[in-house]
Amino acid sequence: MTAATQHHPHANLVAEGVSLSFSGKPVLRDVSLAVVPGELHALIGPNGAGKSTLLAMLSGDRTPESGTVALAGKSLREWRFKDLARERAVLTQDNTVSFPFTAAQIVEMGRAPWQRTPAENEDDQAIAEAVAQTDVQHLLERTIPHLSGGERARVALARVLAQRAPILLLDEPTAALDLRHQEDVLRIARDRARAGDAVVVVLHDLNLAAAYADRITLLARGEISASGAPSDVLTAERVHEVYGQEVEIIERPGRPPLIVPLR
């Protein structure tokens, strides 16, 4: 048994020593990570640190050159696509849709993995719940090309939530959103984790990570710089070292710390 599985005996999605290069340039180097049910796990780090690549490996969309990613003890490469889609739902950064689907049709696509299964009976309830959570009811009849970037992002999230998979992998779900909807998305993610799902979120905003994550993994140059509780990972020294920006960490008893750039 390896260190990652020893540390998280209940982990059902585990990356072990994964590495990948693009055009000969290392993007990830020997990264191990366990995705644990009941935990909101934030991946943070500067641009180009390997966050989205790692998330794509955890989803099975990218295959590591070395190392393995396994779900329930079985390599992702051995999973049938439809079976995998029932286990994990993925929100990518790219929400472009070239066809004029309505928002309602996009959300309904989240139920595709459950066609011809008993869970098909939950379609209407799952869609209605996802639509309410993401505040897109008023957008359902509109076509995707006529939505703003933030509206498209919320519709894409509704599709992912409607899928009702026990593992949620979200790549920068707050990037195009206004302040209120950013908080909404992280609250939804945290609620899913509290209900027992495993949630991994790529974030740029260190304060959102500090406020909502149970665990933070900080990536730098394709390697894990630190992983643990937000207060352990987000120190002024480490943030300065990895991001090249001096910050002040303002501790607030009983509330998440604030990370403030020194200007």
Side-chain angles (χ1 to χ4, degrees):
M1 187 182 275
T2 61
T5 47
Q6 274 180 337
H7 186 59
H8 296 298
H10 305 298
N12 57 0
L13 179 60
V14 180
E16 294 278 10
V18 294
S19 298
L20 187 69
S21 301
F22 293 152
S23 308
K25 182 178 180 291
V27 179
L28 284 177
R29 285 182 281 219
D30 194 26
V31 169
S32 295
L33 190 81
V35 178
V36 183
E39 187 173 86
L40 196 162
H41 193 147
L43 302 181
I44 64 170
N47 291 336
K51 305 180 296 296
S52 294
T53 302
L54 178 56
L55 199 79
M57 281 190 188
L58 291 172
S59 73
D61 291 339
R62 278 197 187 280
T63 304
E65 288 167 348
S66 58
T68 58
V69 182
L71 175 59
K74 187 166 85 170
S75 167
L76 290 190
R77 279 178 282 189
E78 297 170 34
W79 281 79
R80 287 172 51 222
F81 181 76
K82 190 161 240 186
D83 293 335
L84 195 56
R86 291 171 188 160
E87 296 293 330
R88 60 95 183 102
V90 186
L91 180 72
T92 61
Q93 282 184 52
D94 181 14
N95 298 317
T96 29
V97 176
S98 27
F99 297 101
F101 289 114
T102 64
Q105 288 171 317
I106 294 290
V107 180
E108 285 164 14
M109 289 174 189
R111 299 303 299 165
W114 303 103
Q115 282 174 355
R116 293 184 290 283
T117 75
E120 204 170 29
N121 297 330
E122 299 171 19
D123 283 4
D124 291 347
Q125 184 194 355
I127 289 166
E129 197 175 280
V131 163
Q133 284 183 309
T134 51
D135 187 30
V136 296
Q137 181 69 50
H138 60 296
L139 304 175
L140 292 180
E141 301 312 312
R142 287 168 59 186
T143 57
I144 294 300
H146 291 98
L147 299 182
S148 73
E151 289 167 342
R152 278 200 297 273
R154 278 155 46 208
V155 169
L157 178 64
R159 172 185 55 77
V160 167
L161 294 175
Q163 202 169 325
R164 284 194 172 174
I167 300 171
L168 271 181
L169 304 172
L170 310 176
D171 195 357
E172 294 192 38
T174 59
L177 302 184
D178 60 35
L179 181 63
R180 182 203 135 192
H181 288 108
Q182 285 183 13
E183 298 290 334
D184 283 350
V185 167
L186 269 299
R187 274 193 287 266
I188 292 165
R190 185 178 60 189
D191 289 348
R192 288 287 292 260
R194 295 284 177 273
D197 290 342
V199 184
V200 183
V201 187
V202 172
L203 290 173
H204 271 298
D205 188 320
L206 302 187
N207 285 304
L208 282 175
Y212 287 99
D214 300 300
R215 168 179 293 270
I216 289 177
T217 293
L218 173 59
L219 289 165
R221 294 175 297 281
E223 298 178 326
I224 291 179
S225 170
S227 189
S231 54
D232 296 334
V233 173
L234 293 172
T235 64
E237 296 77 17
R238 188 173 283 122
V239 171
H240 180 221
E241 177 192 326
V242 170
Y243 287 88
Q245 168 66 48
E246 289 195 24
V247 297
E248 180 183 0
I249 312 279
I250 301 172
E251 298 293 346
R252 302 180 302 160
R255 297 168 74 193
L258 286 177
I259 298 98
V260 183
L262 292 178
R263 297 185 173 106

